[in-house]
Amino acid sequence: MRHPMRHPMPARPAACPWALEGGELAVASAALGSRAAKCSLAPSLPSNSVRHPMPARPAARPWALEGSELAVASAALDSQAARRSPNEVLVVVRNEPLSRRTMSRLRPGEWLSDELVNGYLGLLAESCAAGGGAAGGVHVMSTFFFAKLNSSPSGYNYEGVRRWTKNVDLCACSLVLVPVNLGDSHWILAQLDMQRKHIEVWDSLHHQHPQCVRVLSQYMADEWLARRGKRVQVTAAHCDGAPLQRNGSDCGVFVCAFARCLALGTVVDVSQAVMPDFRMRMSFELLQRALTLRECEARARATPGSGSISVPREKRLPGRRKVRRHH
């Protein structure tokens, strides 16, 4: 006797705790029905989802030294050696001996002295003279120049500095850089464009210095009159786009960095963050008695006409204010 075939009952669907049904399912399906909707919704994340940030890209250090160069610069700034032998002369730059005590001012938090500023800007002047191209026609004044020019009771002493440039035709220069110390407490840099008859003040604290501008404007006009017999009108502006100093000790380092970028015709790529690296670079280059050009600087120096620097904004300088020299 044949047994009847037994058909198994269909398995009961497993419970789906997140499933939609009926009208809810129809609404959701319609929203995802087109390919465009799928594409636009797929990348979205719920508003309360945790977003994990990508690892930060390491910050660029355009002025950093490495390897043996860093070791040489660090050794010159060793604080224990400076205490043991403060008067030991480490290097003579442009007939100026630089002792361990003087070089120790390149450590973070220290103000730069006249010897360091003059020595470093002297290396810059030598590099410009040797480089030619965009760096040609650059003259750098001593830190004592403005003090002498501003030394008379009237605040202007052209005769006191007239012979300082007897072997230099400033009117033929493209750029004259004048480091200035104000009130024994702050360094700024004046950029004299002799061809445009224009002065720009670079101050890392973004202050205005009308007395400095008045004196240097008169000096530029007197130079043109004495050397070319021409009466010229000098304009001046404050460089509001100058990188900003965030402490009370790096103004001299900013001045050296500004001067370097302007003289070599590169972007002024300095900031408070790079000051420790720039101090270390100054130490190494003073010890070597020569600048170590970065790739961008070597390119700019070899490119005719690349020495002009664009300034984001300018601000006219009103009024007067007395200034003095030396930290």
Side-chain angles (χ1 to χ4, degrees):
M1 180 177 182
R2 296 180 63 183
H3 296 284
M5 182 178 292
R6 297 178 178 273
H7 297 282
M9 294 294 293
R12 185 177 182 180
C16 183
W18 298 102
L20 297 177
E21 296 181 355
E24 294 177 343
L25 179 59
V27 170
S29 299
L32 301 178
S34 70
R35 187 172 178 224
K38 291 179 182 178
C39 292
S40 63
L41 290 173
S44 301
L45 291 174
S47 59
N48 61 347
S49 63
V50 178
R51 297 174 183 267
H52 296 282
M54 295 295 291
R57 186 176 182 180
R61 298 180 61 186
W63 300 99
L65 299 177
E66 297 179 353
S68 60
E69 293 179 346
L70 180 59
V72 168
S74 300
L77 306 184
D78 182 73
S79 58
Q80 293 184 357
R83 285 194 294 269
R84 288 194 305 267
S85 307
N87 297 321
E88 178 188 355
V89 175
L90 297 182
V91 65
V92 177
V93 179
R94 295 171 67 88
N95 299 320
E96 182 71 46
L98 300 181
S99 66
R100 281 196 179 276
R101 178 187 289 113
T102 299
M103 291 291 289
S104 70
R105 287 179 171 269
L106 287 172
R107 292 201 296 265
E110 298 286 342
W111 286 359
L112 298 197
S113 64
D114 288 284
E115 294 88 348
L116 289 172
V117 176
N118 282 329
Y120 194 74
L121 296 188
L123 296 182
L124 177 61
E126 291 178 353
S127 179
C128 290
V138 176
H139 184 73
V140 181
M141 294 293 194
S142 161
T143 59
F144 303 110
F145 170 80
F146 184 82
K148 187 67 174 178
L149 181 63
N150 192 40
S151 62
S152 72
S154 67
Y156 183 70
N157 182 18
Y158 180 68
E159 291 301 321
V161 299
R162 187 169 186 169
R163 294 179 58 83
W164 284 40
T165 56
K166 64 179 181 179
N167 297 322
V168 180
D169 185 0
L170 292 186
C171 296
C173 292
S174 60
L175 182 66
V176 177
L177 298 174
V178 183
V180 179
N181 190 287
L182 303 171
D184 297 340
S185 61
H186 184 52
W187 289 103
I188 65 172
L189 181 72
Q191 174 192 0
L192 280 60
D193 187 325
M194 299 302 291
Q195 305 311 308
R196 292 173 55 210
K197 289 82 173 175
H198 181 73
I199 296 173
E200 292 202 65
V201 177
W202 290 74
D203 180 2
S204 55
L205 290 180
H206 289 193
H207 294 163
Q208 296 183 1
H209 310 285
Q211 169 70 356
C212 174
V213 170
R214 182 187 70 81
V215 169
L216 290 175
S217 296
Q218 186 62 52
Y219 174 75
M220 184 186 290
D222 286 347
E223 277 291 290
W224 272 100
L225 183 62
R227 294 179 182 272
R228 295 288 194 275
K230 294 182 178 180
R231 297 186 181 276
V232 300
Q233 182 69 36
V234 179
T235 60
H238 178 60
C239 181
D240 289 340
L244 187 62
Q245 175 183 342
R246 302 290 182 181
N247 62 19
S249 58
D250 280 328
C251 53
V253 188
F254 271 97
V255 161
C256 292
F258 292 161
R260 176 171 179 148
C261 294
L262 293 171
L264 297 181
T266 64
V267 173
V268 184
D269 58 339
V270 297
S271 65
Q272 185 64 62
V274 306
M275 287 296 103
D277 285 343
F278 198 90
R279 283 176 176 267
M280 199 64 72
R281 179 172 287 269
M282 287 183 66
S283 172
F284 176 75
E285 292 175 336
L286 284 168
L287 291 171
Q288 301 301 307
R289 289 178 289 195
L291 299 188
T292 303
L293 297 184
R294 300 176 299 159
E295 183 179 349
C296 62
E297 294 170 333
R299 286 198 308 269
R301 193 168 73 167
T303 304
S306 64
S308 61
I309 299 295
S310 60
V311 179
R313 294 181 292 132
E314 293 183 352
K315 185 176 182 180
R316 289 292 170 188
L317 296 173
R320 298 183 59 180
R321 193 173 84 181
K322 185 177 180 182
V323 297
R324 294 180 297 147
R325 181 195 67 82
H326 195 53
H327 268 173

